[in-house]
Amino acid sequence: MQILGRLGEGASERQIRRPFDSLWDGSEMDPLWVESVLRVGKKRYRVILNGLHFSWTQLDKQNRDKKTVSVPVSELIGVEEGKAEIQPQKKVEESELHFTVFSVKRGRHGGGSARLWTVGRTQFTCSSRDLRDHWVTKLRAALREKSGSRPQRLLVFINPFGGKKRGVQIYRTLVSPLLELAGISAHVVVTERANQARDHILKKELTGFDGVVCVGGDGMFSELLHGVIGRTQQEAGLSEHDPTVTLQPCNLHIGIIPAGSTDCVCFATVGVNDPVTSTLHIIIGDSQPLDVCSVHHLNSLVRYSVSMVGYGFYGDVLAESERHRWMGPLRYDYSGCMMYLSNRSYSGVVQFLPADPQYSSPRDNTRCLSGCRVCSESTERLFPQSDASSNASSYSTSQYSQDSSLSDGDWVSLEGRFRCVSLTCMSSSCPRSPLGLSPAAHLADGTGDLILVRDTHAMGFLKYLHRHTNTEDQFDLPFVEVHRVRAVRFSLPPGEVESDEEEKVEEGEKGMEEGKVELEGERDRPTRRSVSQQHLAERGEERGMGDYRKKKKRDFLCGPCCSRAPSVSVWNCDGEILPYTDILCRVHGQLVRLFARGIEDGAGTRNCRAGSRKCKGRCVLHT
């Protein structure tokens, strides 16, 4: 290391006043090491770059250190020559003495309940152009060295119809400038129909892409999920329809830019629904493994799920909301209120394969955060023959050995009447329910949480629903039970099937003809229809219940609580209605990987107020 000046006896480097144009270059010891005194505004700073961090420390008049700002090299976004700005639009003012560094900056939002990532911008002034060029060269070299995990080329799908229909605007104003700053190229596809993104991934050439990104909501993410998993299994020669097959983990990462009506997956994996935060996770190449639940009927795959598969209340709410799509997001509130007033419960037989309780429990008051111990240990268990330092996403089929065989272990069977039956592979948190359906669920431990809410009085069920929005334990109720599982089967009791058939005969004959006529008219319309809408129409034709739309005005005025309750509900699978009642769900550990790192410590939680619950310092909210 070249040192300018002479250190006196007992003096340290930091006590020696360095001239403004001094440069300490440690190329002999560390090729990336560089240190000099630069200016930020009118203040002098000691600026240091090494292989891990880029930091600048303010100096006072006596050359003593004051405050220091340090940024990991892995969280640098880019460096520009001159005086540069990126927001609200890119602008660069040429200058021979200046360079601008852009980095990830953490902030607080919503009273400290969630952590936002923003773009930090720092403009440095050098004493000469040679010094400026030296710094820019070193910083770009450091970024190249750390670019191994960063994407270089992305395939981006934008849903222009989701949420408030701002997907294209969000990408152009917030996402695209940041990708350009980071040197990431993107091929953009604005979708025009449902499942276009899924079909593109399944059929088109993807060579050269490091990941696929959706700008939309949970529905758009589901399309990418099905496309990526389906293509991976095709290339591996595996059948997705066989529930006993261990699926091949996917190498292609998935990114989510939230722009939909619901962004549950983004919220549960990042901790906040913010396009800039998600874009920065993509840029720096964060990688978060994610469990996926495959849903089967007989020997056929129905859908994949990462958030929730729900029967009873949650299925009824979705089915009712599909009839009122003209209401926008308000339809969920309206439908939820109507379904609660309906006071419905359903008979069913639930069988599940319990997970090993020695690893974790849904009642252990832990929370899956970035660097989660439970998920890290699960990686070693799910991929026992691989080097721990390897990337789990690149494991071969021979190395991939999940411990979740359907024949391994004793199945547990429960029968009764249930308000709702839910299976979730993550906490399923959202802005309205910050802790989600199961606060202690993990993103990548190869298990799911089965939540059974048995039939109870209306006030008891209301208490259960309300606890999702506050700090109380929703499982601490006598009619609620939760189990950590590897697989779940659901079926109707034999007598209930016969009762449902009689109901179909009674109600079907009356609406069959009208249902067929309306269905044919709907199929001729060149509109973008959801899978749930299509299923409701087909279900109406199949069961002779084509009077769904016929009773639209009556349902809105009187509500479903005024009609006779059906004996069978429907399944809500990540916001889509399943066409079958009897299903088998299996959890596949770490099947896909997202551009995310999990919720950082202190994000997505709320402080436990003293006296609000008997947590005794042990609850997941106590910080």
Side-chain angles (χ1 to χ4, degrees):
M1 178 182 292
Q2 179 184 358
I3 302 178
L4 300 180
R6 185 182 184 90
L7 294 178
E9 186 176 354
S12 65
E13 289 185 34
R14 294 185 177 181
Q15 293 174 316
I16 301 299
R17 182 178 180 87
R18 296 170 191 162
F20 175 58
D21 59 350
S22 65
L23 171 67
W24 290 36
D25 195 335
S27 56
E28 296 179 1
M29 301 178 60
D30 184 347
L32 294 179
W33 179 283
V34 58
E35 176 181 355
S36 63
V37 177
L38 308 178
R39 292 190 183 276
V40 177
K42 296 182 179 180
K43 298 179 180 179
R44 299 171 59 252
Y45 283 81
R46 177 185 297 108
V47 186
I48 300 175
L49 171 67
N50 57 39
L52 299 176
H53 291 86
F54 175 62
S55 61
W56 53 101
T57 303
Q58 184 179 348
L59 303 175
D60 61 13
K61 294 181 179 180
Q62 285 73 38
N63 215 42
R64 293 174 301 191
D65 292 353
K66 296 180 71 175
K67 61 180 181 180
T68 299
V69 179
S70 180
V71 178
V73 173
S74 61
E75 295 185 3
L76 294 179
I77 303 171
V79 56
E80 294 283 339
E81 298 176 349
K83 301 177 181 180
E85 294 181 2
I86 193 66
Q87 293 173 334
Q89 60 183 7
K90 186 175 181 179
K91 182 175 65 176
V92 179
E93 179 183 340
E94 294 185 4
S95 171
E96 294 184 351
L97 303 180
H98 297 85
F99 68 92
T100 307
V101 175
F102 297 91
S103 61
V104 172
K105 182 179 179 181
R106 288 166 175 78
R108 289 286 184 178
H109 176 67
S113 61
R115 185 181 295 270
L116 286 171
W117 281 18
T118 59
V119 179
R121 170 183 171 274
T122 308
Q123 183 177 291
F124 296 92
T125 304
C126 304
S127 60
S128 65
R129 179 170 183 170
D130 290 341
L131 182 60
R132 191 278 306 269
D133 292 343
H134 186 81
W135 268 105
V136 171
T137 301
K138 288 288 187 177
L139 284 167
R140 289 177 175 171
L143 282 173
R144 284 194 299 272
E145 184 172 295
K146 293 294 182 181
S147 64
S149 61
R150 295 191 176 194
Q152 302 299 315
R153 189 166 179 242
L154 297 171
L155 177 59
V156 181
F157 295 95
I158 303 176
N159 178 7
F161 308 104
K164 297 180 179 179
K165 300 182 180 181
R166 296 179 60 244
V168 174
Q169 178 186 358
I170 287 175
Y171 180 79
R172 288 177 178 173
T173 59
L174 299 178
V175 180
S176 180
L178 292 178
L179 295 181
E180 182 182 352
L181 174 65
I184 299 175
S185 62
H187 177 70
V188 180
V189 177
V190 180
T191 60
E192 300 176 348
R193 60 176 176 84
N195 293 320
Q196 180 179 345
R198 182 201 64 183
D199 296 341
H200 190 287
I201 295 173
L202 286 172
K203 300 175 183 178
K204 300 294 184 178
E205 179 62 45
L206 300 180
T207 303
F209 289 109
D210 302 308
V212 292
V213 177
C214 66
V215 183
D218 290 334
M220 193 66 174
F221 166 77
S222 182
E223 288 193 31
L224 268 62
L225 178 75
H226 284 76
V228 169
I229 297 177
R231 178 156 187 146
T232 302
Q233 308 320 309
Q234 288 177 9
E235 295 176 349
L238 300 175
S239 172
E240 298 177 89
H241 298 286
D242 186 351
T244 64
V245 168
T246 298
L247 299 181
Q248 172 77 10
C250 307
N251 289 327
L252 199 63
H253 281 60
I254 301 177
I256 311 172
I257 306 297
S261 299
T262 58
D263 300 292
C264 175
V265 178
C266 182
F267 194 91
T269 55
V270 177
V272 64
N273 288 334
D274 176 61
V276 172
T277 300
S278 296
T279 303
L280 294 177
H281 279 289
I282 294 172
I283 288 174
I284 67 177
D286 275 339
S287 182
Q288 171 63 52
L290 192 65
D291 296 337
V292 177
C293 175
S294 61
V295 183
H296 302 263
H297 174 70
L298 300 179
N299 291 320
S300 178
L301 173 71
V302 183
R303 284 188 73 84
Y304 291 110
S305 167
V306 297
S307 178
M308 182 193 72
V309 184
Y311 181 82
F313 177 77
Y314 296 112
D316 292 346
V317 169
L318 179 61
E320 181 67 19
S321 69
E322 289 297 327
R323 301 168 193 158
H324 305 286
R325 294 187 69 87
W326 56 272
M327 298 175 67
L330 185 62
R331 68 185 184 271
Y332 297 113
D333 296 328
Y334 166 78
S335 300
C337 180
M338 291 296 102
M339 288 302 102
Y340 169 74
L341 294 175
S342 299
N343 201 30
R344 296 175 181 176
S345 63
Y346 302 93
S347 297
V349 178
V350 181
Q351 298 172 293
F352 60 90
L353 190 61
D356 194 333
Q358 68 174 324
Y359 298 118
S360 63
S361 165
R363 301 297 303 277
D364 59 11
N365 289 331
T366 62
R367 187 158 172 80
C368 187
L369 301 173
S370 180
C372 174
R373 176 189 58 82
V374 173
C375 295
S376 298
E377 293 177 353
S378 297
T379 301
E380 301 174 1
R381 188 174 72 255
L382 294 172
F383 306 94
Q385 301 179 20
S386 299
D387 186 355
S389 62
S390 301
N391 189 338
S393 64
S394 62
Y395 294 156
S396 65
T397 305
S398 60
Q399 294 173 312
Y400 185 57
S401 177
Q402 294 217 38
D403 61 352
S404 55
S405 172
L406 298 182
S407 60
D408 181 19
D410 297 326
W411 287 77
V412 178
S413 181
L414 299 173
E415 183 175 352
R417 293 192 67 85
F418 303 95
R419 283 299 187 99
C420 56
V421 177
S422 307
L423 175 66
T424 179
C425 293
M426 59 173 61
S427 66
S428 294
S429 57
C430 65
R432 290 195 174 187
S433 179
L435 297 180
L437 287 176
S438 185
H442 290 271
L443 294 174
D445 66 342
T447 69
D449 285 355
L450 173 65
I451 305 167
L452 304 175
V453 182
R454 294 186 179 271
D455 192 15
T456 184
H457 54 84
M459 291 305 298
F461 188 57
L462 181 61
K463 180 184 292 186
Y464 167 74
L465 294 176
H466 181 64
R467 287 189 176 185
H468 287 81
T469 66
N470 58 28
T471 61
E472 294 185 89
D473 183 4
Q474 62 261 44
F475 301 142
D476 189 21
L477 294 168
F479 53 88
V480 180
E481 52 187 286
V482 59
H483 307 273
R484 186 142 290 174
V485 301
R486 292 179 286 160
V488 175
R489 287 194 188 102
F490 181 87
S491 60
L492 296 174
E496 204 65 40
V497 175
E498 294 175 3
S499 173
D500 186 49
E501 291 297 331
E502 292 176 3
E503 186 177 327
K504 283 189 286 184
V505 173
E506 269 182 33
E507 300 184 2
E509 295 177 355
K510 184 177 180 181
M512 176 69 77
E513 294 301 321
E514 295 181 9
K516 286 184 178 179
V517 171
E518 189 163 356
L519 181 64
E520 290 173 0
E522 190 70 27
R523 284 173 176 166
D524 291 337
R525 297 179 191 172
T527 57
R528 183 185 179 96
R529 304 175 67 209
S530 70
V531 177
S532 295
Q533 288 176 300
Q534 181 180 353
H535 167 60
L536 285 176
E538 292 174 351
R539 194 166 182 246
E541 180 185 36
E542 212 173 87
R543 297 191 178 187
M545 296 177 66
D547 57 340
Y548 274 128
R549 298 179 184 270
K550 173 186 172 184
K551 299 187 295 180
K552 179 178 178 181
K553 292 184 179 179
R554 190 198 74 185
D555 285 349
F556 180 71
L557 294 175
C558 300
C561 53
C562 299
S563 59
R564 189 176 72 172
S567 59
V568 178
S569 181
V570 295
W571 282 99
N572 176 347
C573 180
D574 286 0
E576 298 291 349
I577 294 177
L578 300 185
Y580 308 104
T581 304
D582 295 358
I583 61 172
L584 166 65
C585 302
R586 179 185 175 184
V587 180
H588 300 266
Q590 304 187 12
L591 187 59
V592 297
R593 302 186 77 87
L594 305 184
F595 285 116
R597 64 172 57 176
I599 300 175
E600 290 188 307
D601 193 11
T605 62
R606 292 176 295 177
N607 290 334
C608 176
R609 293 177 298 174
S612 64
R613 63 181 294 181
K614 298 178 181 179
C615 73
K616 298 180 181 179
R618 296 193 298 267
C619 75
V620 295
L621 299 177
H622 194 91
T623 56

